[in-house]
Amino acid sequence: MAPENSNTEEVVVGEEIGRVRLITLNRPRQLNVISSQVVSLVAGFLEKWEKDDDAHLIIIKAVGRAFSAGGDLKMFYAGKKDDSCLEVVYRMYWLCYHIHTYKKTAVALVNGIAMGGGAAMAVPLKFTVVTEKTIFAVPEATIGLHTDCSFSYILPRLPGHLGEYLALTGARLNGKEMIAIGLATHFVPSEKLDELEKRLVSLNSDDEVAVKAVIEEFSLEVEPDEESIVHKLSIINKCFGEESVEEIIKSFEAEASREGNAWIASVLKGLKRSSPTGLKITLRSIREGRKQILSECLKKEFRLTMNQLRSVISSDVYEGIRALNIDKDNSPKWNPASLSEVSSEKVDHVFQPFEAELELNIPPEGDAYRWCGKFEDSVYPTLKGKQ
């Protein structure tokens, strides 16, 4: 079901059909990466429709072969000499909180790539529909960043230590695997997605039982393939439950030498090529996330992202983006270059709380405050040019 208005200049298209509201991510050539404009528009639609008594059901979808490939890395790279990305980072984490806690019935139709912040617009919703074309990953640590956009809250709640595995390796999951571990609710063949959308629109209701029944008319019972990582949880738990990144790699190397574990070699190679700083920050963030509530995770992630974008202990995030997206030589030169050089003191430094007024402002409980804490209401606009 194509948007009524497919103006290619509109990066996000909002539609109102009866009591149904649709958000369509509309940057197919850029794999629907998340820019500041995308964040602002999605947040604006969600706020408007949550307050609208005539809006009952929300559907989020995308045009092209990607739902969303995550944050716009070139945007971050362009802002490396200043704090120009602070606003979009703040707005994105604030948006993540409202996606997790959204009060209207919402359905994500995820047909294609869903990575990092892109996946964060789908996974927390009441209904997350995936297809045989869906590819999920959180690859941030591999380029020197950390697992963000609420995934330090989501991943620790997956079975065993699968969260650490996904965060540290950037491993990809398909739709069947997402269903198996609880990152998605329904698997629908991609050729039926348009018809499902039409039925949801014609349902014109927010009744969760009715919405679920419609989705289940189109969904299939699926199981992960025999070689799926989901079936290797015993090895993952053994290795990725270790205390440190160094111990995880050592344990994983030992398992790689055992018969039947040939799959480990390529994963291990990628792990060893990743940013040492990114890996250590990510592991600690995921481990802390096991004991943190959503708001604590998001505040922590905001601090970590800003500290990494400000190169407080390392400029690896920019080197990772350069190697992957700018020069595309896939040969990042990490600094520090080894795990042993990333001290606990350095990692501690980026986890330190900001001054209270500089923290991400998560709204307190209560409808009166529900949409408070926006960037424009924070102290940050008055600090532009002073930091």
Side-chain angles (χ1 to χ4, degrees):
M1 191 174 194
E4 291 179 0
N5 185 347
S6 57
N7 185 337
T8 56
E9 293 182 0
E10 290 190 80
V11 298
V12 178
V13 179
E15 299 174 84
E16 301 185 0
I17 304 174
R19 294 180 173 180
V20 179
R21 305 292 182 262
L22 298 96
I23 291 174
T24 304
L25 305 179
N26 191 38
R27 302 180 76 194
R29 291 184 179 179
Q30 293 81 27
L31 301 182
N32 294 313
V33 293
I34 301 169
S35 64
S36 58
Q37 190 179 8
V38 170
V39 173
S40 294
L41 287 169
V42 171
F45 286 133
L46 290 180
E47 179 179 2
K48 174 186 176 184
W49 294 336
E50 188 176 279
K51 295 175 177 177
D52 182 358
D53 291 339
D54 290 330
H56 286 202
L57 176 65
I58 313 298
I59 299 173
I60 303 180
K61 57 176 184 166
V63 174
R65 66 187 181 91
F67 179 79
S68 172
D72 188 339
L73 298 181
K74 291 182 178 179
M75 171 187 68
F76 290 126
Y77 194 80
K80 66 180 180 177
K81 294 187 188 309
D82 55 39
D83 253 1
S84 60
C85 290
L86 188 152
E87 180 174 346
V88 66
V89 171
Y90 186 105
R91 290 187 185 279
M92 183 61 193
Y93 293 141
W94 185 86
L95 172 59
C96 285
Y97 175 79
H98 289 85
I99 290 174
H100 272 268
T101 59
Y102 202 63
K103 297 183 181 298
K104 297 286 179 78
T105 304
V107 180
L109 304 178
V110 186
N111 186 35
I113 299 167
M115 295 186 177
M121 291 190 178
V123 171
L125 298 185
K126 183 67 178 181
F127 300 105
T128 304
V129 178
V130 293
T131 76
E132 76 284 355
K133 295 181 180 179
T134 305
I135 300 171
F136 167 88
V138 280
E140 292 82 8
T142 64
I143 62 161
L145 199 55
H146 68 100
T147 304
D148 67 340
C149 292
S150 78
F151 276 104
S152 76
Y153 175 80
I154 295 169
L155 295 185
R157 286 154 180 80
L158 297 182
H161 291 282
L162 189 56
E164 283 96 330
Y165 174 82
L166 294 173
L168 294 174
T169 66
R172 297 184 173 193
L173 299 179
N174 60 34
K176 293 178 182 178
E177 292 168 321
M178 291 180 71
I179 293 289
I181 65 174
L183 288 175
T185 60
H186 296 83
F187 184 98
V188 173
S190 57
E191 67 268 17
K192 294 186 177 182
L193 219 52
D194 281 353
E195 189 179 352
L196 168 59
E197 184 186 330
K198 290 175 183 176
R199 285 278 283 108
L200 288 172
V201 169
S202 64
L203 181 65
N204 208 32
S205 170
D206 61 351
D207 183 88
E208 289 184 3
V209 174
V211 171
K212 183 178 180 181
V214 167
I215 297 173
E216 288 180 345
E217 287 179 29
F218 296 86
S219 67
L220 302 177
E221 294 291 331
V222 292
E223 294 290 338
D225 299 334
E226 186 177 338
E227 294 302 310
S228 170
I229 196 66
V230 174
H231 299 309
K232 307 182 192 303
L233 200 54
S234 61
I235 293 175
I236 288 172
N237 287 343
K238 180 180 179 181
C239 299
F240 287 80
E242 294 285 359
E243 188 71 22
S244 67
V245 178
E246 291 92 335
E247 290 171 307
I248 286 172
I249 290 176
K250 183 179 179 181
S251 179
F252 212 30
E253 286 174 330
E255 289 298 322
S257 65
R258 301 182 189 277
E259 186 176 349
N261 286 346
W263 63 275
I264 292 178
S266 61
V267 180
L268 198 53
K269 182 179 180 181
L271 189 58
K272 290 180 176 179
R273 289 190 62 195
S274 298
S275 159
T277 301
L279 290 176
K280 286 205 169 184
I281 292 173
T282 293
L283 180 61
R284 175 164 165 179
S285 180
I286 296 296
R287 292 279 163 83
E288 287 190 359
R290 288 183 178 274
K291 299 177 181 179
Q292 293 174 323
I293 62 174
L294 174 63
S295 59
E296 291 172 330
C297 284
L298 289 169
K299 287 184 177 184
K300 171 195 64 185
E301 290 174 4
F302 174 67
R303 295 180 209 121
L304 293 178
T305 298
M306 291 315 305
N307 280 330
Q308 288 183 287
L309 291 178
R310 289 166 175 167
S311 301
V312 168
I313 64 170
S314 171
S315 299
D316 274 4
V317 61
Y318 298 115
E319 176 60 10
I321 295 173
R322 179 205 63 76
L324 180 70
N325 272 65
I326 308 300
D327 298 336
K328 300 182 180 179
D329 57 25
N330 290 314
S331 297
K333 304 295 187 292
W334 305 123
N335 184 22
S338 67
L339 289 166
S340 62
E341 294 175 86
V342 186
S343 67
S344 297
E345 290 75 20
K346 286 182 178 179
V347 176
D348 287 343
H349 189 52
V350 295
F351 278 83
Q352 291 303 306
F354 290 162
E355 293 178 21
E357 64 179 4
L358 300 179
E359 294 278 14
L360 178 70
N361 192 343
I362 299 295
E365 295 292 330
D367 290 344
Y369 307 103
R370 170 75 178 144
W371 294 91
C372 293
K374 293 184 175 74
F375 176 81
E376 55 267 32
D377 299 324
S378 74
V379 71
Y380 282 113
T382 66
L383 298 179
K384 281 190 176 181
K386 297 180 182 180
Q387 292 185 317

